[in-house]
Amino acid sequence: MSASVAVYRNIYTEDRFRQSYGTEDKPRGGGQRFREKIAERCRCSRAACLHLLRERVPIFNWLPKYRLKKWILGDTIAGLTVGILHIPQGMAFALLTSVAPIYGLYTSFFPVVLYMLFGTGRHVSTGTFAVVSLMTGSVVEQLVPTPLQLNSSSPEAADFEAQRIGVASAVALLSGIMMLCMFGLQLGFLSTYLSEPIVKAFTSAAAFHVTISQLQSMLGLRLPRHTGPFSLFKTLASVIENLPHTNMAELLTSLVCLAILVPVKEVNMRFRQHLRTPIPVEILTVIIATGVAYASSLDSNYDVQIVGHIPAGFPSPRMPALHKLPEVAGDTVAITFVGYAVSVSLAMIYADKHGYSIQPNQELLAHGISNTVSSLFTCFPSSATLATTNILESSGGFTQLSGLFTSLVVLIVLLLIGPLFYFLPKAVLACINVTSLRQMFLQFQDLPDLWRVSKIDFVVWLVTWLSVVVLNVDMGLAIGVVFSMMTVICRTQRAGCSVLGRASNTEIYRPLENHNKCYEVPGVKILTYNGPIYYGNRSFFREDMSRLLGLTPERIRSREKARKALEKREREAVNTVERGVANTSFSSENEFFKSETAESEVQAVLIDCSSVIFVDVAGARLFIQMCIECQKVGVCIYLANCNESVLRILTSSGLMNYMNPQHIFVTVHDAVMYIQQQKEQTPENTTTVWV
């Protein structure tokens, strides 16, 4: 069934349309209006305070609406499941951060509680994250390197651990302060600069760094940790060089753990729709390995590295190493952006899936408070985590209340069970680290689809991945962001100018190179530019316009010379007529100029600005220059589909001094109809004359 549409209306210029349908400009009292806004913001009332409290502490907003019978079971099961997973992962990622395992348990407790109070993501699980832990560990290793000979039971070892957690806590404190400052400036949008290809490539490449860094623990090697550019290759070379010194007991322990963890995790993934909760293979492996190590005295008989003393009880507040803040500032910027970008990305993914919205700026506040407060309790930087967030959602969690049950599980371990993990081999935690990266490694599967959809995004992914792997985590991320922004700039620079043609008997205009059945309107060259016009691409825009219109310097000079000759002949003809003598040469010159115009066929240029999202001062001056050049060759310029900001900048720059204001139209078709009507009119019937 075909449908048709017929519309009859007047031709609208921008001025005429604004007069008919625009809103009246209200008089602005700048200073008074600003004072009124400030006064309104500062006005205090009970309703305003309650609104602010619900907005900044979301638990007061969602908790009164909590559906107890419907949601409590899912939140309980999901919270307990994630809490059990937090215990081995927290200790494992603490080793990745180059601090004692107990601090991983602290970081799995405090941020969870604080995010439950201030976060807006219902399915987000916060705590230790492999990439953030790896980046923090690099900072710790740079400032407090590991001595080759260190007795774990000596007083020097305790002082060494205190220095390391002091640096890690300083990073967490500074990261939290940065997030709070970003919240105050409402800079939540900055996370958008870490595009999806960058985040996926970065986390995938960081997974390689994590895996290589854990090889020494899995093989029982005591090696210094390498940092800086090419650290992955340096670590790999060091491991290969020391392979003859492998502790066979720790290698066997690692192989057995991998043989258990990998298949069971695969079962959890493949049958997650049929399992009410995932099999807690990590905590089971930790318990069994601790029992075996204790029964067989692996530490004393086979020199297996174990976790050692884990103090029971709640940590006492302790100030981070504040004197280290200037030294960690640069690395903390990268850690802050990565942690926030991953957290917001995860929150948005599950918010879209379950039909609710999050507030990026409130997420800044939530993670800022989490890192700032938890740093006072010897915690290292935290963020949302991929694995536990996925498990939280798949286990049936509904709201942030699941964080309460997660924190209760960790609290019980801290108060009662922690010391029982004394004999836990560090090789087991290294295996848990490596197997937790499964999702990051699987991101390679997205590459064929990414190549098919956007080859530029594919190149961004590849450059980011290679930069992170070859150089370092923070340096590679910076290169990925810069390269991604450069691709955006290059795309706007080379946006491309097209000639539009009209579909027969319609008001539809499309590029001729893609629609060969459309035709050019006689005497009118309709051009469209598919991007902004600014200082970065003004030369490309001018080049395209000149090529399509044939505005070569030679043609401009010849046409201007002919026009001046014509004007001179006109003046001479007037003088000759006044003396009563006819000048026959004038008509021949006039006919020559008209014939040249007819040969070129373009008497009007119409620029469709529908794709021009903004224009800067350089772009506006280019419009003026184009108007002057077109006038020299006897061509009028018309504009259509200008948005308000573009039109305002063009008007403010003085374009209307070189162009008729009535030559700016609402649509391309309005402009074409106007031009055709003007061509059909005789000079005696012309209603508007503009010089």
Side-chain angles (χ1 to χ4, degrees):
M1 179 180 177
S2 61
S4 60
V5 59
V7 178
Y8 300 92
R9 61 173 176 81
N10 295 325
I11 294 175
Y12 282 113
T13 64
E14 282 288 348
D15 286 342
R16 185 175 180 183
F17 188 82
R18 191 180 297 109
Q19 291 171 5
S20 301
Y21 298 102
T23 56
E24 296 182 1
D25 293 335
K26 297 180 180 179
R28 296 183 177 180
Q32 183 177 359
R33 193 170 183 182
F34 178 75
R35 286 194 296 270
E36 289 176 357
K37 285 185 176 181
I38 294 295
E40 185 178 351
R41 290 274 185 179
C42 297
R43 189 176 295 120
C44 185
S45 66
R46 184 174 181 272
C49 290
L50 288 175
H51 175 73
L52 182 64
L53 181 65
R54 294 193 187 100
E55 190 177 19
R56 296 297 169 237
V57 190
I59 190 172
F60 291 113
N61 187 30
W62 59 262
L63 190 59
K65 305 173 186 176
Y66 191 82
R67 302 178 185 177
L68 188 64
K69 294 182 179 179
K70 185 177 181 180
W71 292 343
I72 189 63
L73 180 61
D75 282 341
T76 303
I77 294 175
L80 294 176
T81 304
V82 171
I84 292 172
L85 183 61
H86 264 308
I87 297 165
Q89 281 199 358
M91 292 190 291
F93 291 157
L95 294 184
L96 202 58
T97 316
S98 298
V99 296
I102 184 61
Y103 302 117
L105 294 179
Y106 296 157
T107 309
S108 299
F109 174 75
F110 290 101
V112 174
V113 175
L114 293 167
Y115 186 83
M116 180 185 67
L117 300 176
F118 297 97
T120 59
R122 301 178 190 174
H123 299 86
V124 173
S125 173
T126 58
T128 55
F129 180 45
V131 177
V132 174
S133 297
L134 177 70
M135 297 175 73
T136 307
S138 298
V139 180
V140 172
E141 289 287 346
Q142 287 177 8
L143 299 181
V144 191
T146 306
L148 292 178
Q149 299 296 329
L150 181 67
N151 187 353
S152 58
S153 59
S154 64
E156 292 81 6
D159 182 62
F160 171 73
E161 287 295 341
Q163 292 180 36
R164 287 199 151 190
I165 191 57
V167 172
S169 298
V171 174
L173 175 64
L174 189 56
S175 176
I177 292 174
M178 286 182 180
M179 289 187 183
L180 292 176
C181 292
M182 291 168 65
F183 165 75
L185 297 173
Q186 299 291 285
L187 297 180
F189 67 90
L190 289 178
S191 63
T192 58
Y193 288 106
L194 293 178
S195 63
E196 183 178 344
I198 291 178
V199 172
K200 288 190 173 182
F202 171 75
T203 53
S204 179
F208 278 86
H209 279 274
V210 173
T211 302
I212 297 301
S213 69
Q214 296 304 292
L215 287 178
Q216 57 178 325
S217 296
M218 296 169 67
L219 298 175
L221 301 175
R222 278 74 167 174
L223 303 174
R225 186 166 172 176
H226 296 279
T227 59
F230 311 106
S231 59
L232 184 144
F233 302 102
K234 293 177 183 177
T235 303
L236 189 59
S238 180
V239 169
I240 294 174
E241 184 181 352
N242 288 273
L243 278 178
H245 305 291
T246 299
N247 187 316
M248 299 307 296
E250 294 200 59
L251 175 60
L252 182 62
T253 301
S254 300
L255 292 176
V256 172
C257 288
L258 290 176
I260 296 172
L261 290 169
V262 173
V264 177
K265 278 180 168 287
E266 191 65 26
V267 170
N268 283 339
M269 183 58 63
R270 288 180 179 270
F271 300 99
R272 58 182 175 181
Q273 302 295 335
H274 305 285
L275 296 172
R276 185 66 182 88
T277 60
I279 301 171
V281 63
E282 289 93 348
I283 191 65
L284 293 177
T285 303
V286 166
I287 294 172
I288 294 171
T290 303
V292 171
Y294 171 73
S296 56
S297 301
L298 291 179
D299 57 325
S300 57
N301 293 335
Y302 301 98
D303 195 27
V304 171
Q305 297 182 74
I306 60 174
V307 167
H309 176 62
I310 297 180
F314 211 67
S316 56
R318 185 195 306 174
M319 287 299 294
L322 299 180
H323 63 284
K324 296 287 187 180
L325 290 180
E327 299 178 60
V328 304
D331 296 292
T332 305
V333 173
I335 293 171
T336 301
F337 272 94
V338 170
Y340 175 64
V342 171
S343 300
V344 171
S345 299
L346 278 175
M348 286 183 173
I349 288 172
Y350 289 103
D352 292 340
K353 182 177 180 179
H354 292 275
Y356 62 91
S357 61
I358 67 158
Q359 301 172 23
N361 285 307
Q362 180 63 27
E363 289 295 294
L364 273 175
L365 178 64
H367 290 287
I369 292 176
S370 296
N371 279 290
T372 303
V373 175
S374 61
S375 69
L376 304 177
F377 293 91
T378 60
C379 296
F380 51 85
S382 63
S383 71
T385 63
L386 295 174
T388 55
T389 297
N390 184 33
I391 290 174
L392 178 67
E393 190 265 344
S394 61
S395 300
F398 289 101
T399 67
Q400 296 94 316
L401 191 65
S402 59
L404 175 64
F405 302 101
T406 298
S407 58
L408 286 177
V409 173
V410 179
L411 182 62
I412 291 172
V413 173
L414 285 173
L415 297 179
L416 303 174
I417 306 176
L420 299 179
F421 294 120
Y422 180 92
F423 290 97
L424 173 64
K426 290 185 178 181
V428 176
L429 297 180
C431 293
I432 292 173
N433 269 334
V434 172
T435 56
S436 68
L437 305 172
R438 178 184 183 276
Q439 286 179 288
M440 300 184 194
F441 285 121
L442 290 179
Q443 291 177 138
F444 281 99
Q445 297 176 351
D446 299 335
L447 287 181
D449 289 337
L450 195 60
W451 173 263
R452 180 175 51 83
V453 174
S454 173
K455 292 178 176 57
I456 293 179
D457 285 340
F458 177 87
V459 174
V460 170
W461 196 103
L462 197 61
V463 168
T464 304
W465 189 89
L466 289 174
S467 300
V468 173
V469 168
V470 173
L471 297 176
N472 200 7
V473 177
D474 48 359
M475 193 180 301
L477 176 64
I479 292 174
V481 172
V482 171
F483 182 79
S484 177
M485 296 179 71
M486 289 298 297
T487 62
V488 174
I489 294 173
C490 290
R491 278 185 273 189
T492 60
Q493 283 186 323
R494 291 293 189 177
C497 194
S498 304
V499 179
L500 299 184
R502 181 183 177 186
S504 299
N505 300 320
T506 69
E507 80 292 350
I508 299 172
Y509 297 82
R510 289 293 185 268
L512 290 174
E513 62 264 25
N514 300 325
H515 304 81
N516 56 7
K517 294 184 179 179
C518 294
Y519 67 92
E520 282 197 77
V521 178
V524 183
K525 184 73 74 172
I526 308 174
L527 304 177
T528 183
Y529 192 73
N530 302 313
I533 301 173
Y534 66 108
Y535 69 94
N537 67 353
R538 63 188 299 269
S539 59
F540 299 107
F541 175 68
R542 177 185 173 80
E543 180 184 332
D544 289 343
M545 290 281 289
S546 300
R547 175 177 51 83
L548 294 173
L549 297 177
L551 293 177
T552 60
E554 295 78 11
R555 186 189 176 205
I556 293 174
R557 284 195 297 268
S558 64
R559 292 300 299 274
E560 188 175 16
K561 183 178 180 181
R563 183 174 59 84
K564 289 181 178 179
L566 177 61
E567 292 174 355
K568 182 179 179 181
R569 292 292 185 182
E570 286 177 344
R571 288 194 298 270
E572 292 176 354
V574 171
N575 294 333
T576 303
V577 171
E578 288 177 352
R579 293 195 299 268
V581 180
N583 187 349
T584 57
S585 64
F586 167 70
S587 60
S588 62
E589 182 73 30
N590 195 17
E591 290 300 324
F592 166 76
F593 190 77
K594 287 184 177 179
S595 65
E596 190 177 341
T597 303
E599 288 176 2
S600 67
E601 294 185 351
V602 177
Q603 291 90 41
V605 175
L606 172 58
I607 302 177
D608 176 19
C609 299
S610 57
S611 299
V612 181
I613 56 176
F614 72 88
V615 174
D616 69 352
V617 175
R621 288 175 180 168
L622 180 60
F623 268 98
I624 294 175
Q625 191 175 357
M626 297 294 294
C627 279
I628 294 173
E629 292 181 357
C630 286
Q631 288 173 10
K632 289 180 180 179
V633 297
V635 175
C636 290
I637 282 193
Y638 298 82
L639 301 179
N641 289 323
C642 295
N643 64 50
E644 291 293 333
S645 63
V646 169
L647 193 58
R648 183 172 62 253
I649 292 174
L650 293 178
T651 303
S652 302
S653 65
L655 179 64
M656 298 307 113
N657 297 330
Y658 303 89
M659 178 181 176
N660 190 339
Q662 299 304 315
H663 285 182
I664 303 176
F665 293 87
V666 174
T667 68
V668 171
H669 196 58
D670 283 90
V672 171
M673 291 296 100
Y674 175 83
I675 295 169
Q676 289 181 335
Q677 289 181 13
Q678 292 298 308
K679 288 172 60 178
E680 293 170 359
Q681 290 178 348
T682 61
E684 292 80 5
N685 295 331
T686 302
T687 57
T688 303
V689 177
W690 178 67
V691 180

